[in-house]
Amino acid sequence: MYGVMRARARMWVRRMRAARRDAGMVTSEYAMGLIAAVGFAGLLLKVLTSGQVQAALQGIVEKALHG
């Protein structure tokens, strides 16, 4: 009985130590994801505000309204 409890306690300690080691990765992964999302949003904004895309979108809207 004592051996089983001791093994469970060791397993719990290992899990807690592993959780502490990985705790910092969540923040860095979140930051990298945020940087990537902002970069993608900037690229998308640049594409959507270009003259060719605006002309194409305006053509689609005019066709939908008149047709």
Side-chain angles (χ1 to χ4, degrees), residues 7-66:
R8 286 183 183 170
R10 277 192 215 143
M11 185 174 59
W12 183 77
V13 168
R14 283 188 204 129
R15 285 183 185 168
M16 295 306 292
R17 286 181 182 162
R20 275 189 277 156
R21 280 191 301 250
D22 292 341
M25 292 192 57
V26 173
T27 303
S28 63
E29 289 171 354
Y30 178 75
M32 291 303 293
L34 185 62
I35 290 169
V38 168
F40 182 71
L43 180 65
L44 187 60
L45 180 66
K46 187 72 173 172
V47 168
L48 290 177
T49 56
S50 69
Q52 292 176 338
V53 174
Q54 282 185 344
L57 290 174
Q58 186 175 357
I60 291 170
V61 170
E62 286 177 1
K63 185 177 178 182
L65 291 175
H66 296 297

